[in-house]
Amino acid sequence: MKITIIGAAGMIGRKLAERIAQTGAIGGQTVDAMTLVDVVAPDVATDFTGQRVSYAADLTEAGVAAKLVADKPDVIVHLAAIVSGEAEADMDKGYRVNLDGTRALLEAIAGVPDYCPRVIYASSLAVFGAPFPTKISDDFNLTPLTSYGTQKAMGELLLNDYSRRGILDGVGIRFPTICIRPGKPNKAASGFFSGILREPLNGQEAILPVDDDVRHWFASPRAAVGYIEHAAMMDTAPLGAQRCMTMPGVSATVAEQIEALRAVAGDEAVALIRREPDATIASIVAGWPRDFDTVRALETGFRAENSFEEIIRIYLEDEMGQSA
């Protein structure tokens, strides 16, 4: 089987490629060839025993999408995107990358005779906008309130339509906020969700800019890779015409995150969290969804963690090499 990962230099793309290199398979299916593409050449999966191609390319440039599908990969994982803050700050760039790039890929697939690949599309909780019910169900309308959310919602509709027409076999994954993200702190509004755990676990101070009662929807990087692995080989017939789903996760407040940290790493780690209110971040986070009822995803075999303590222990295992 051939797989192409677009956006392979990002955190999820890199971990997915490393997982495939480690196992030689995805979703139980042997991978013979893997192509890794991003705007910078991905440098991962060097131990992959099959055919491996890695190069830099911009999906929005003429001819790139056609090159990506020329060898008819069986599975295409589309992770490439301009994320929320940048898409809001630069509207033209957001639509060019998140919408035009996605459509270019789908049109390139449509132009290849006798070809119908599995396409896994990375979407976002940003397709939902307030006001929210206490728990968002699978039939809640897409009502984005940002350019990024709008672009992702349009991508979901395209995936549905091209799947309906038999051009491709799509699965759309709305990722929870991924936590704990490895690496250094960043300036993303959601970065503190990982930071208040990652930094204390590494013996460093962390800044908490919001109140303890802020609630959000989370999953680990390991779960994120698992979603894609499952989506690659699942039976899509039960999805019908609606190919996009919110993934399972853990709904937790900041206070619950902190107590999970205490349970795993003790009071000394919690003491490294410094409260420093930020009205701007608090305002942004107040407009985010908090909890989901992910019946469709669970019924079709997707899985995630069951507690925030489990998410923390996965970080210790996967990123710090510690037995949990």
Side-chain angles (χ1 to χ4, degrees):
M1 187 185 77
K2 300 176 184 176
I3 183 169
T4 293
I5 304 172
I6 307 170
M11 185 268 290
I12 294 175
R14 174 177 55 79
K15 284 185 173 292
L16 173 63
E18 289 172 350
R19 173 69 175 165
I20 294 170
Q22 184 182 60
T23 63
I26 186 169
Q29 180 73 35
T30 299
V31 176
D32 304 302
M34 177 164 55
T35 299
L36 309 177
V37 183
D38 211 319
V39 290
V40 295
D43 184 20
V44 293
T46 54
D47 54 347
F48 181 57
T49 57
Q51 179 185 354
R52 175 183 177 272
V53 178
S54 180
Y55 62 91
D58 185 340
L59 190 57
T60 66
E61 293 181 356
V64 169
K67 178 182 178 181
L68 287 172
V69 302
D71 65 342
K72 295 186 176 182
D74 302 284
V75 176
I76 300 172
V77 183
H78 182 23
L79 296 166
I82 296 298
V83 295
S84 54
E86 189 173 1
E88 196 66 19
D90 191 336
M91 183 177 179
D92 288 343
K93 185 177 183 180
Y95 274 93
R96 185 173 71 253
V97 174
N98 295 339
L99 178 59
D100 298 343
T102 297
R103 191 176 180 202
L105 174 64
L106 304 189
E107 279 295 289
I109 293 168
V112 179
D114 303 317
Y115 181 46
C116 183
R118 174 67 54 87
V119 175
I120 302 169
Y121 174 66
S123 190
S124 167
L125 303 183
V127 299
F128 301 112
F132 302 117
T134 302
K135 191 184 285 278
I136 296 173
S137 64
D138 287 321
D139 58 1
F140 190 71
N141 289 333
L142 305 188
T143 54
L145 294 176
T146 64
S147 292
Y148 176 69
T150 300
Q151 293 148 16
K152 285 298 183 181
M154 295 169 84
E156 288 194 10
L157 293 173
L158 287 171
L159 191 78
N160 286 342
D161 196 38
Y162 280 65
S163 296
R164 178 184 64 85
R165 289 177 172 274
I167 296 168
L168 53 85
D169 186 14
V171 181
I173 294 174
R174 298 185 196 116
F175 286 99
T177 288
I178 302 304
C179 187
I180 303 169
R181 297 183 72 92
K184 296 180 179 179
N186 60 36
K187 295 182 179 179
S190 61
F192 71 88
F193 284 124
S194 286
I196 61 172
L197 306 171
R198 180 186 58 235
E199 273 66 85
L201 288 170
N202 286 279
Q204 300 169 359
E205 186 179 76
I207 303 300
L208 174 58
V210 302
D211 292 337
D212 284 20
D213 62 356
V214 168
R215 178 177 292 278
H216 198 48
W217 189 245
F218 302 97
S220 73
R222 186 190 293 181
V225 171
Y227 302 148
I228 299 171
E229 290 184 297
H230 180 66
M233 292 296 135
M234 68 180 288
D235 178 9
T236 56
L239 301 183
Q242 302 303 317
R243 294 303 185 104
C244 303
M245 295 167 285
T246 303
M247 292 294 101
V250 175
S251 178
T253 64
V254 168
E256 289 166 343
Q257 283 186 278
I258 293 171
E259 287 311 304
L261 176 65
R262 192 189 312 277
V264 173
D267 292 338
E268 291 183 1
V270 172
L272 290 169
I273 300 172
R274 178 161 58 88
R275 285 169 168 77
E276 192 173 289
D278 185 315
T280 300
I281 292 178
S283 176
I284 294 171
V285 173
W288 290 350
R290 300 173 178 85
D291 197 2
F292 290 87
D293 188 9
T294 58
V295 173
R296 288 187 77 217
L298 290 169
E299 287 181 346
T300 51
F302 291 94
R303 295 292 181 266
E305 294 77 28
N306 294 310
S307 70
F308 218 97
E309 187 172 326
E310 185 180 354
I311 288 175
I312 294 174
R313 294 188 184 281
I314 285 172
Y315 175 81
L316 292 176
E317 290 180 359
D318 292 356
E319 306 302 334
M320 300 184 71
Q322 297 182 18
S323 174

